[in-house]
Amino acid sequence: MSTLKRVIWPQIILFGDSITQFANQANGWGSEISNKLARKCDVVNRGLSGYNTRWAKIVLPRLVPISDAPITAVTVFFGANDCALEDKNPAQHVPLQEFTENLKDIVKYLVSIGVSNDKIIFITPPPLQEAAWEKECLVKGSALNRLNSVAGQYAQACVQAAGQSGVDVLDLWTLMQKDGQDFSVYLSDGLHLSDKGNQFVAEHLWTLLERRVTDLPFILPYWGDVDPKCPESSLLCD
């Protein structure tokens, strides 16, 4: 008997911090993207809660490539921890210039393993609602350790690094505050995304992903196209 040809699902890899790690929860932006791509592509979550780009750059070669499956896209979503204030949260803080260089190094590594620039999408940190996040900090016994203005500096650096690296970027920090709108509705605790924030990310990210996945075929036949008398003829063909 001849060896069966294995079915290989292409992959989209979500690489980031807790905002990515939690993206596969109910109503999460990762779940929404995954649902849109069912039977076309595996959406693989590699979110690492609490991580910054310094640590991410170190572990990336241990995470990607995941298998021999083709990579359709990679999202790189960091900055919410890098932008922590050095005097209040030195463990997670990464200086702005290093943050920029780390993002560029992440792109260089991905390109070196065959992920072309046009498959990489940076996502900036979202804005920070300081009053809500300060409450979270106080509960944990610390002072406010992030500022929205500083998050904005890291978002701007992310946009610039994307331009210099030739990759797309989704600038959440700017979009969520566009026209002076109340961005607090997008955040659950001042830092992480609410259901509405997850929906916002999913919708805007899909506009960047859609053209990258439009040609992906539906994997394995639609059930109605399977020959019930001889299913092998439908299910074992290339």
Side-chain angles (χ1 to χ4, degrees):
M1 183 176 179
S2 60
T3 302
L4 293 178
K5 184 178 179 181
R6 189 163 57 94
V7 178
I8 297 177
W9 255 252
Q11 295 176 339
I12 290 177
I13 300 171
L14 312 180
F15 184 46
D17 52 33
S18 60
I19 303 177
T20 296
Q21 182 176 319
F22 303 149
N24 280 17
Q25 295 179 348
N27 302 316
W29 60 272
S31 296
E32 179 65 22
I33 298 298
S34 185
N35 288 339
K36 285 179 177 290
L37 292 171
R39 293 281 292 278
K40 289 190 171 186
C41 190
D42 277 341
V43 178
V44 183
N45 190 311
R46 290 296 180 267
L48 302 163
S49 178
Y51 275 51
N52 54 35
T53 56
R54 182 183 293 161
W55 304 339
K57 183 177 73 169
I58 295 170
V59 300
L60 180 58
R62 302 185 66 190
L63 304 178
V64 181
I66 294 161
S67 68
D68 58 355
I71 296 174
T72 300
V74 179
T75 60
V76 179
F77 191 172
F78 289 97
N81 296 315
D82 298 71
C83 76
L85 302 176
E86 184 174 15
D87 60 333
K88 299 292 195 301
N89 186 355
Q92 290 179 302
H93 170 79
V94 172
L96 192 60
Q97 184 58 41
E98 182 190 343
F99 170 71
T100 300
E101 295 304 317
N102 289 341
L103 288 175
K104 293 179 183 178
D105 286 344
I106 287 171
V107 172
K108 289 175 184 175
Y109 170 74
L110 291 172
V111 170
S112 77
I113 62 166
V115 181
S116 56
N117 300 64
D118 63 335
K119 294 181 178 180
I120 302 169
I121 301 171
F122 283 176
I123 307 176
T124 76
L128 181 83
Q129 214 291 318
E130 293 171 12
W133 184 243
E134 185 173 26
K135 291 179 182 178
E136 294 292 318
C137 292
L138 291 173
V139 167
K140 296 174 182 177
S142 64
L144 178 65
N145 58 20
R146 289 166 174 80
L147 295 173
N148 189 40
S149 60
V150 177
Q153 294 172 13
Y154 282 72
Q156 184 179 17
C158 180
V159 171
Q160 292 174 345
Q164 293 164 355
S165 300
V167 305
D168 265 343
V169 61
L170 174 56
D171 184 358
L172 290 182
W173 191 86
T174 298
L175 287 172
M176 286 183 169
Q177 298 180 92
K178 191 175 180 181
D179 301 323
Q181 64 180 306
D182 177 16
F183 65 85
S184 65
V185 297
Y186 298 126
L187 304 169
S188 62
D189 57 5
L191 173 65
H192 300 95
L193 300 175
S194 63
D195 283 355
K196 191 167 184 178
N198 275 285
Q199 182 181 9
F200 185 97
V201 173
E203 289 175 356
H204 284 80
L205 180 58
W206 183 247
T207 64
L208 296 176
L209 281 176
E210 190 169 15
R211 64 179 174 81
R212 293 170 166 89
V213 301
T214 187
D215 293 330
L216 290 177
F218 194 68
I219 298 174
L220 294 176
Y222 172 65
W223 74 267
D225 295 332
V226 176
D227 182 350
K229 295 180 179 178
C230 184
E232 291 86 356
S233 65
S234 305
L235 300 176
L236 299 182
C237 62
D238 291 338

